[in-house]
């Protein structure tokens, strides 16, 4: 991977983290100023649900595995003809590409939850 792609991907991760963490911090501030703590809980639950949904989508799109290697055609059922095997492999490749894009949202959500946990338990 060249440096430009790495920097672009890293900046996307940082930007998404800033957005998710910003949403969380805004909900905390608004909840504190208005006395409506439920707003913080609502946003926290929504972020957690989004994380779980994205994780499940990643797992499904990645072929119900965390393996990033393509499936070997010999591993597929012998009952399938070559056309079925080829269609499956193409569909799997497309799904894995889509799953990789979800990582740009999953990791920042995990980082947001981690930073929020650390902030809540060690700096309050």
């Amino acid at each position: 991977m060249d440096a430009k792609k790495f920097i672009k991907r890293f900046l996307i991760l940082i930007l998404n983290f800033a957005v998710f963490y910003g949403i969380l911090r805004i909900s905390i501030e608004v909840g504190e100023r208005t006395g409506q703590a439920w707003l913080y809980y609502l946003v926290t639950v929504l972020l957690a649900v989004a994380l779980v949904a994205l994780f499940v989508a990643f797992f499904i799109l990645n072929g119900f595995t965390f393996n990033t290697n393509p499936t070997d055609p010999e591993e597929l059922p012998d009952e399938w003809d070559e056309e079925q095997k080829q269609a499956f492999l193409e569909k799997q490749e497309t799904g894995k590409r889509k799953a990789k894009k979800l990582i740009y949202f999953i990791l920042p959500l995990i980082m947001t939850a981690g930073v929020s946990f650390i902030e809540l338990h060690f700096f309050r």
Side-chain angles (χ1 to χ4, degrees), residues 11-21 104-105 108-109 112:
L11 289 176
I12 290 171
L13 285 171
I14 296 300
L15 177 67
N16 285 343
F17 169 73
V19 168
F20 293 138
Y21 190 72
Y104 294 116
F105 298 98
L109 281 169
T112 300

Side-chain angles (χ1 to χ4, degrees), residues 45-120:
V45 167
L46 289 175
L47 288 176
V49 168
L51 177 60
V52 169
L54 287 170
F55 184 78
V56 169
F58 171 83
F59 192 69
I60 291 170
L61 286 172
N62 206 39
F64 297 97
T65 182
F66 294 112
N67 188 3
T68 58
N69 299 329
T71 303
D72 192 24
E74 285 83 35
E75 296 174 5
L76 298 176
D78 293 330
E79 302 87 43
W80 291 6
D81 61 9
E82 290 303 316
E83 187 176 299
Q84 285 177 313
K85 289 181 180 181
Q86 189 62 31
F88 175 82
L89 292 173
E90 288 174 5
K91 183 179 176 185
Q92 186 184 45
E93 182 181 331
T94 303
K96 285 184 183 268
R97 273 185 288 177
K98 290 178 183 177
K100 282 183 183 180
K101 292 179 182 177
L102 292 179
I103 294 294
Y104 294 116
F105 298 98
I106 294 171
L107 287 178
L109 281 169
I110 291 171
M111 291 182 344
T112 300
V115 168
S116 176
F117 177 81
I118 290 168
E119 178 185 49
L120 183 63

